[in-house]
Amino acid sequence: MLPIERGLEIVMSTAKAKQRNDWMPAESVALLDSMHRVLREDVFCDADSPRFDKAIRDGFAVRFEDLTAVPAVLTVVGESRAGLAADVTVGRGQCCEIMTGAPLPPGANAVVMVENTERLSPESVRVLKTTRENEGLLRRGAEARQGDRILATGRQIGLADLGLLAGVGKSSVLVSKKPRVAVIATGDELVEVDQEPQPGQIRNSNTYTICAQVKEAGAEPFILGIGRDNLDDLRSKIRYGLEHDLLLVSGGVSMGKYDFVETVFAEFGVDVLFDKIAMKPGKPTVFGYRGDTYVFGLPGNPISTMVAFHMFVRPLILFLLKAENTTPKTLEATLDSPAKCDPQRAALVPALVRFESGKYWIRTAPWKGSSDLVGLARANALIMIPRGDGTLDAGQSAQFLLME
Ligand code: AMP
Ligand code: MG
């Protein structure tokens, strides 16, 4: 059985070796639609930022030299407001009323806060505190210069990036197209969410968790419905699924008598590169490709399928999107209680993590195995125990994945 790391290496090297245009093409989208998408252009400042020396306080633009002895009374010679600069020069003993975001008038070199002043009359103000040069203002270009590269291709656009894109005049943005991902659930026992299960039946939950993960990773899911555990039904669904960028089939990949998914993959000429991973949950994870389509058989158990997606499918989607970071982000915590694990397989154990005294503490959450969504919903993390480590003791440190 392959260790997780080796499985991931196979997925990524397959994607890298299929050198065609394996990266998704780029498309232009409206600014607001670019949130969380992967940027496919370098973005440069169209002007200095800020564009002019500007006040970052409401108060008075002054010459700091006039305030070496305070209180000091200054003559108010004008008003500079956001969007409308004052047409004055601040001379000795003078100041200009100014608002946050307004251009600093020539002659002034500091802004004193209104809180540190007393207005005596429309023409005069008493300043109560001294100031230093450049206090209360930002000089032109202090944040970035015209022509500076502020965002690089491969960046996943976050909230600050979106604001930045707006600020430099990008009303549309070049991002990676979303890969099209076909999602098939399999099983004779499955009924749809709005149906009442008869004896022996359960509702299909994998389709929904998988589609949510597909969306979160930045791809577009296509629900192909439930494939029944017979060759004909699986053939027709998988045939259609193979017309997508990725095909994800959940269930039907274990050793059961009615697990036909791998048989049908083989019939369609899918080149299967692995079909078992040394991890728990998630052992029967299948990966291969046919032509331009990447194919995964994900284990049927709800938690196994989530974990396998996170470990293998998500990094592949991010790679295809040309994202700069593709690896799952882990954090480190100290174990509050032992975490049991079979040394033969890496384990992902549902856990509860908290932040206290400057670090993360983690303990395993009660759960009843890889179908227990109730237990998983009460957890907020997965402890990752590498293969070979076996049981970890309380006080040891462990890597974990945060689950949101
Ligand atoms: P399988 O890998 O097909 O043997 O499925 C393993 C377990 O996962 C069985 O208990 C199935 O009933 C369950 N399972 C399979 N597919 C789904 C699904 N789409 N939603 C919820 N449970 C499922
Ligand atoms: Mg099944």
Side-chain angles (χ1 to χ4, degrees):
M1 262 195 293
L2 286 180
I4 297 182
E5 305 75 45
R6 183 73 194 114
L8 185 58
E9 239 171 65
I10 291 174
V11 172
M12 299 309 266
S13 61
T14 304
K16 279 176 196 153
K18 282 157 59 63
Q19 270 298 339
R20 328 158 275 122
N21 328 321
D22 246 5
W23 286 303
M24 297 307 297
E27 64 179 345
S28 180
V29 297
L31 175 59
L32 192 51
D33 297 327
S34 72
M35 186 65 179
H36 298 316
R37 305 282 299 266
V38 175
L39 189 62
R40 287 292 283 277
E41 58 178 326
D42 289 334
V43 177
F44 301 91
C45 259
D46 66 331
D48 290 343
S49 178
R51 292 172 170 254
F52 45 84
D53 296 346
K54 75 166 184 191
I56 55 172
R57 303 272 182 269
D58 293 316
F60 295 86
V62 300
R63 294 160 17 96
F64 83 96
E65 302 92 330
D66 291 343
L67 298 175
T68 43
V70 285
V73 176
L74 301 176
T75 307
V76 182
V77 294
E79 179 190 275
S80 179
R81 47 192 285 193
L84 190 64
D87 189 16
V88 296
T89 298
V90 175
R92 190 180 234 179
Q94 296 181 331
C95 68
C96 178
E97 195 169 5
I98 197 163
M99 319 301 151
T100 300
L104 188 76
N109 54 21
V111 172
V112 294
M113 287 161 66
V114 69
E115 291 87 335
N116 296 333
T117 65
E118 267 172 29
R119 191 70 178 246
L120 302 176
S121 73
E123 295 81 31
S124 66
V125 67
R126 179 184 289 136
V127 181
L128 307 172
K129 281 181 76 175
T130 60
T131 186
R132 278 169 294 141
E133 190 171 13
N134 293 332
E135 205 160 63
L137 60 91
L138 263 189
R139 290 291 179 186
R140 173 179 179 160
E143 296 161 350
R145 292 277 177 196
Q146 179 174 22
D148 280 356
R149 187 172 74 170
I150 42 165
L151 294 173
T153 182
R155 170 104 174 166
Q156 259 182 303
I157 296 170
L159 196 54
D161 304 329
L162 196 81
L164 202 47
L165 288 163
V168 301
K170 299 282 296 177
S171 56
S172 60
V173 185
L174 208 57
V175 297
S176 293
K177 266 195 169 151
K178 296 180 181 185
R180 302 170 72 248
V181 183
V183 177
I184 302 173
T186 71
D188 283 342
E189 75 280 30
L190 301 178
V191 299
E192 266 314 338
V193 176
D194 52 5
Q195 289 173 346
E196 191 57 37
Q198 299 303 307
Q201 297 184 323
I202 59 166
R203 293 199 179 91
N204 165 22
S205 62
N206 287 352
T207 293
Y208 300 93
T209 57
I210 293 171
C211 288
Q213 287 181 294
V214 166
K215 283 187 178 187
E216 191 276 330
E220 194 176 354
F222 291 84
I223 297 177
L224 269 48
I226 298 170
R228 298 303 170 189
D229 292 321
N230 65 73
L231 291 169
D232 281 346
D233 199 30
L234 290 175
R235 278 180 193 131
S236 76
K237 293 224 160 45
I238 288 174
R239 177 181 294 116
Y240 181 44
L242 285 167
E243 290 171 21
H244 296 70
D245 297 310
L246 275 86
L247 165 60
L248 309 179
V249 182
S250 79
V253 284
S254 304
M255 302 302 286
K257 198 169 158 193
Y258 301 100
D259 290 337
F260 296 134
V261 170
E262 280 192 88
T263 311
V264 178
F265 283 171
E267 281 181 16
F268 280 111
V270 174
D271 196 349
V272 171
L273 301 176
F274 61 75
D275 68 356
K276 265 175 210 62
I277 293 288
M279 68 178 191
K280 188 187 163 102
K283 178 171 120 180
T285 298
V286 180
F287 169 69
Y289 66 93
R290 195 194 72 165
D292 293 347
T293 306
Y294 296 93
V295 178
F296 285 92
L298 301 172
N301 266 314
I303 298 167
S304 317
T305 220
M306 275 181 210
V307 167
F309 183 101
H310 196 82
M311 290 297 161
F312 303 109
V313 186
R314 189 172 184 277
L316 175 62
I317 290 176
L318 289 172
F319 174 83
L320 298 176
L321 288 169
K322 231 178 164 181
E324 56 187 355
N325 294 319
T326 58
T327 40
K329 190 174 136 215
T330 60
L331 296 164
E332 196 173 300
T334 305
L335 283 162
D336 272 329
S337 58
K340 281 193 200 138
C341 167
D342 166 6
Q344 295 303 309
R345 293 205 251 164
L348 291 122
V349 187
L352 286 153
V353 68
R354 66 199 157 83
F355 194 77
E356 202 180 291
S357 320
K359 62 178 184 171
Y360 288 110
W361 299 83
I362 202 160
R363 67 190 153 86
T364 56
W367 78 310
K368 307 260 180 305
S370 34
S371 65
D372 183 10
L373 281 172
V374 178
L376 189 70
R378 291 181 184 141
N380 61 4
L382 287 170
I383 301 175
M384 296 179 64
I385 308 177
R387 183 156 84 149
D389 277 17
T391 297
L392 300 178
D393 297 324
Q396 274 188 277
S397 65
Q399 298 290 317
F400 70 94
L401 294 163
L402 255 186
M403 290 191 305
E404 278 123 338

